[in-house]
Each structure stands twice: as structure tokens, then as C-alpha cells.
Amino acid sequence: MAIKKKKSVSKSSSNGNRPRTTTTHVAADAFVRPPKGNSANLRTYSIPDTRLEHPNLSVRQSMEKDGHVRYEVTGNLDAPVPPIRDSKYLGRQQCIEIYRFMLLNRKMEVALENLYKQGKVVGGVYFGLGQEACSCASAYALDKDDWFAPMIRNQGSLLVRGFAARDTMMQYMAKADSPTRGRDGTSHFGDIEKRNMVSPISMLGDLIPVLSGVALGARLQSRNIAVMTYIGDGGQSTGVTYEGINFAAVQNLGLVLFIESNLWAYSTPSEMQYRCQDLAERAIGYGIPGVIVDGTDACQVYDAAREAVERAHAGEGPTLIEAKMMRMKGHAIHDAAAYVPKPMFDFWKKRDPIARFENYLVKEKKWLTAKENAELIADVERVIEEEREIAVNSPMPTPESAEGGVYCEDGCHEIKPKYGMPKVKKGTASFKQTEAAVHLK
Ligand SMILES: Cc1ncc(C[n+]2csc(CCOP(=O)(O)OP(=O)(O)O)c2C)c(N)n1
Ligand SMILES: [Mg+2]
């Protein structure tokens, strides 16, 4: 992976009308800073791009007569589906393991959708449909001592790092046995003791400086670790993203940042989010290696992640990996994504990461027979059903339990929970409600 002088500029980009540069794959250790003080020369750069296809779809906004905004997609919607690229590192067993995690990821999310429809989920549900390769193969590249922080679409990363599907299910149902004991209805949980996982932070971009800080902490203990996190094509626009990456860059910290370039940020298409060709180019400005991968190809995701993890372990600093794919559902369960042009879904459905990986393992590599594959799928379904059953049968937390786990329970602090009357103005409706509630007690 590297930034290197490039030669040609041509074609259109995967994300719209931005021109795309053709690139050559460059090894990680080939990263070189461009020479300084050579202002007479025109400096050009390239970004390695391991994709086997460069979709040329473009989304355009148009205004209907009734004033409604619509999006239209143009480009080669019938382009042939690319094959999976052979991994430089993964063997048969590892590929099958990643494939199994991807299946678990998807089937867990189908179960979550059903739980939501049954009224058992207390808030919303977020999905990583179409992004399973990115979540699972990236986390698979981490070593035990490395750290990670997923975002809402990376529920597959949790499975790879040792969480059970029931943990995520119980969390959404706010059950007593959930990782936060029913205190949060979505994904705000971590595990800093066993799994080196920082809890997702909803403020987009904020995980980047936090993870950089984790790497700095390890550095102060004289260890070089990899710290992996994710940010969307929308979230990367935030100021804190810049600050976090820049800090990791100047401190040479082992940040492995995945930009999940899934073409939408809620209802904003990537064409209206940024103007550069590809987001991996931002790496040039930070002075760090950047690479583009097909986020629907588990082998490409793994290889880029593994190389970045190895750079981190060697103390060579951060890497930015742009994973190109498509968010195949709405932002969350409440969003039907009616604003997404249907042909765009059809195009990316043909690039389904699981179907293609299955085809690769069964038909191309012949690493799984049809029978073994059917057994593996049946086993994943059985596991998810068992996990769902356990999650549903977990009790709701008792009201008193809200008091625990908030303050230190080791006896070293004398901080007692203190309950009192909410401060409300006399005579207002909320004052009356409060009075009535107190009276009822
Ligand atoms: C700083 C900040 N601004 C706005 C939001 C609200 N918000 C949550 S998710 C989201 C869209 C994110 O899109 P993207 O980063 O592309 O991720 P994706 O949902 O596509 O995975 C927005 C605007 C937020 N959580 N934090
Ligand atoms: Mg997005």
C-alpha cells in the first residue's frame, strides 16, 4: 500500500462524475513522501486500487414539478459482476471461517428485523446488509492484542471478536443480560477487559481520536498495536475525523481506518458529500498510505486490513482504507430508502458479498462441496435460532437494577445514588405531573 507518483488520468469514477485515475498496486513498504521544495515540478500521486471492477454509476438530483427532490442513477447498470480476487494471505480454512461469520452477521440481522416486527425491540435496528465482508474480514485481520471500535453497521465485527449474536439481540431488546444490562437500546457497548473493544460513539468521527489515543497509550507502554475503526462516507466529513487522523499521522500511531464508502449518508448521495475522486485520496493530504478496495470482496478487505495491521505493529503509522460498496437498506429500520433509485439496488444486489463468496468457495476454489455448504448454512441458522431463543427469554431488568453499575461498587468510593424531585417551575404542567407522581408513591 502506498502513495506513489502516478501516470494516467482517465475514465469516470464509481461515485459519480469525478474523473478516476488508473492506478497500479504498490506494496506497503513502498510508501514514500514526495520530495519537498520542487515547486517547478507538477506533483501527481496515485492511490492503489485492488478492485477488479470500477463501477461508473452516477447519482444526480432532480426537482419534480411538484417540488419533490428525486435522485436518478446513470452509468453502466448492466456491467458484468467481478470475480472475487484471490487473497495473498488467506487459505481455505480462513476463507470458510470468514464466510461463516458473514452468514452469521446476515442471519442475525434478519432475526433482529423479525424481533423488531414482533415489537420486542425497544428502539430502532441498524443493518449492515451488503457490508458483511467489510465488517467481518476487517476484524478478522486483527491480532488478539489489537483494539477495535465498530460503528452501527459493523455488527459482524463483534461476532468475529467473540461476541455472541445473543449479545446484540439482547442489547436491542434492552434485556437484563445484555452487555449494558438493559441501559441502552442499540449498539453502545464495548468490552475493554477481554475483547479490547471501545464502545461505538454516535457522534460521527469521534472514535478516530479515541482509538488514536488507545494506540498512544499502548505506545507509552512501549507496545505498537493496531487500532481499527470505521467511518462512513458521510461521517468522514466531520472536523474530528481530520483531527483524529492527523493526530495519528503525526504521532505515527497504528490507526487502521476503514472508510465505509457505501454511497449514501442517510439520504445524501456521495456525489453531494465530497468532491474528490475517491475518499482514499484524503490519505495524501494526511501524508499516510491510502488504498481502495472492493468492500464486497472479503479477500480484498482482509488483505488491505492485514497489511495495515502489520504496518501498525511495525510502528509505521496509520493507514486509510476506502471500502467501496453500497448500503443495501435504509439508514435504519424506520427508513425505507425510497429516495434510492431502484436500479442502484439492483446493480449492487448482483454484487452481494455473501453470494459471491459462496460461489467462490463452492464453484471456483472448490473448497466447500455443495453438501458441506448446505450443512454450514444449516448450522448457522441453528445457532442464530438458539441465540434468538436465549435472548428473547432473558428477563427485562428490574427497576432497582438501574442503581447498580453506575457508581464504583468496589467500596473504594462513597458515592451514593441520590434521587430527588426534578427541578420544574411551580404551576407548570410538568410540575403538576411531578406532584401527581410523587403523591401516587
Ligand atoms: C457529528 C454527527 N453529525 C450527525 C449525526 C447524525 N447521523 C447519524 S448517522 C448519519 C449518516 C451517516 O452516514 P455515513 O457516515 O455515510 O454512514 P452510513 O450510515 O452510510 O454507514 C448522520 C447524519 C451524528 N450522529 N453525528
Ligand atoms: Mg454512508
Side-chain angles (χ1 to χ4, degrees):
M1 270 178 281
I3 301 165
K4 210 182 160 194
K5 293 205 169 187
K6 72 135 181 75
K7 291 201 171 74
S8 55
V9 178
S10 65
K11 301 182 187 169
S12 56
S13 91
S14 59
N15 283 343
N17 296 322
R18 297 176 282 266
R20 183 179 64 75
T21 50
T22 45
T23 53
T24 42
H25 188 64
V26 190
D29 54 9
F31 172 60
V32 279
R33 253 173 216 280
K36 279 186 179 169
N38 215 357
S39 58
N41 294 337
L42 183 66
R43 294 197 307 203
T44 53
Y45 305 85
S46 75
I47 291 285
D49 183 346
T50 66
R51 289 174 300 166
L52 295 174
E53 141 178 85
H54 301 89
N56 68 349
L57 306 190
S58 173
V59 173
R60 213 166 51 92
Q61 195 183 55
S62 63
M63 189 78 83
E64 301 277 276
K65 280 194 191 121
D66 59 8
H68 279 106
V69 166
R70 251 186 90 228
Y71 292 117
E72 285 168 354
V73 63
T74 53
N76 185 5
L77 289 154
D78 299 319
V81 178
I84 296 288
R85 184 190 268 276
D86 282 335
S87 166
K88 288 185 260 174
Y89 311 107
L90 295 169
R92 173 183 178 271
Q93 205 47 44
Q94 293 162 307
C95 280
I96 294 172
E97 223 166 55
I98 294 173
Y99 170 60
R100 188 174 189 279
F101 280 125
M102 287 163 65
L103 279 167
L104 274 170
N105 183 171
R106 178 157 306 173
K107 290 185 187 288
M108 177 182 79
E109 292 186 1
V110 171
L112 280 170
E113 185 164 2
N114 291 335
L115 289 169
Y116 178 88
K117 287 175 182 163
Q118 291 162 6
K120 295 190 164 88
V121 168
V122 295
V125 176
Y126 295 86
F127 302 103
L129 187 68
Q131 303 189 195
E132 295 90 345
C134 183
S135 293
C136 299
S138 57
Y140 196 83
L142 291 170
D143 284 356
K144 194 166 180 293
D145 289 339
D146 294 328
W147 279 66
F148 84 117
M151 289 290 283
I152 47 173
R153 309 214 184 281
N154 308 119
Q155 295 171 148
S157 316
L158 302 182
L159 298 169
V160 174
R161 294 297 281 179
F163 278 94
R166 80 185 77 157
D167 294 318
T168 297
M169 293 182 188
M170 289 190 298
Q171 186 74 11
Y172 274 118
M173 292 188 279
K175 296 291 188 125
D177 301 318
S178 72
T180 57
R181 307 261 171 264
R183 283 175 181 74
D184 173 77
T186 50
S187 56
H188 302 106
F189 64 97
D191 179 359
I192 57 172
E193 277 165 16
K194 294 194 202 100
R195 300 183 183 99
N196 296 354
M197 172 183 161
V198 175
S199 164
I201 301 173
S202 283
M203 280 64 77
L204 299 173
D206 273 79
L207 276 173
I208 300 168
V210 171
L211 270 273
S212 299
V214 171
L216 182 61
R219 164 81 51 80
L220 295 174
Q221 298 170 349
S222 69
R223 291 183 296 138
N224 282 322
I225 60 165
V227 291
M228 180 180 284
T229 191
Y230 309 81
I231 186 73
D233 45 357
Q236 62 76 41
S237 295
T238 59
V240 72
T241 297
Y242 169 80
E243 293 164 29
I245 303 175
N246 187 59
F247 183 73
V250 295
Q251 293 286 341
N252 229 28
L253 301 168
L255 175 71
V256 180
L257 181 64
F258 267 88
I259 296 191
E260 298 185 296
S261 216
N262 63 7
L263 305 176
W264 295 89
Y266 217 123
S267 53
T268 304
S270 65
E271 279 79 356
M272 301 181 75
Q273 187 67 239
Y274 57 90
R275 202 65 184 111
C276 54
Q277 292 169 199
D278 297 297
L279 286 169
E281 285 166 35
R282 299 254 200 257
I284 296 164
Y286 293 113
I288 64 173
V291 60
I292 299 171
V293 298
D294 178 346
T296 65
D297 178 334
C299 292
Q300 288 184 39
V301 171
Y302 177 87
D303 283 11
R306 188 61 217 172
E307 286 170 9
V309 164
E310 271 164 20
R311 289 191 68 246
H313 292 168
E316 289 169 11
T319 307
L320 193 157
I321 303 167
E322 180 182 5
K324 304 260 197 195
M325 52 204 170
M326 164 84 175
R327 191 195 71 197
M328 292 302 281
K329 269 187 175 287
H331 177 68
I333 201 154
H334 60 269
D335 171 21
Y339 47 82
V340 176
K342 188 173 172 298
M344 212 170 158
F345 275 131
D346 297 340
F347 176 90
W348 285 99
K349 193 158 195 302
K350 287 186 236 153
R351 284 143 184 85
D352 182 276
I354 297 185
R356 267 165 59 236
F357 208 28
E358 176 183 42
N359 184 63
Y360 177 75
L361 297 174
V362 176
K363 300 213 173 118
E364 280 178 42
K365 302 301 273 189
K366 304 202 187 323
W367 281 346
L368 273 178
T369 64
K371 185 166 170 282
E372 285 165 340
N373 183 39
E375 282 166 5
L376 192 153
I377 294 169
D379 185 57
V380 166
E381 279 166 357
R382 181 190 54 76
V383 169
I384 293 297
E385 183 46 29
E386 277 174 18
E387 294 285 308
R388 194 198 63 81
E389 198 63 20
I390 294 167
V392 166
N393 291 325
S394 167
M396 292 306 280
T398 59
E400 310 83 77
S401 70
E403 190 184 298
V406 177
Y407 298 96
C408 173
E409 284 162 1
D410 296 335
C412 48
H413 297 90
E414 258 305 296
I415 306 170
K416 293 250 161 64
K418 201 167 103 190
Y419 297 110
M421 281 275 287
K423 284 185 184 138
V424 285
K425 265 195 178 161
K426 256 190 171 182
T428 60
S430 49
F431 179 79
K432 282 178 194 142
Q433 278 166 6
T434 311
E435 263 193 325
V438 171
H439 187 68
L440 278 174
K441 275 188 191 164

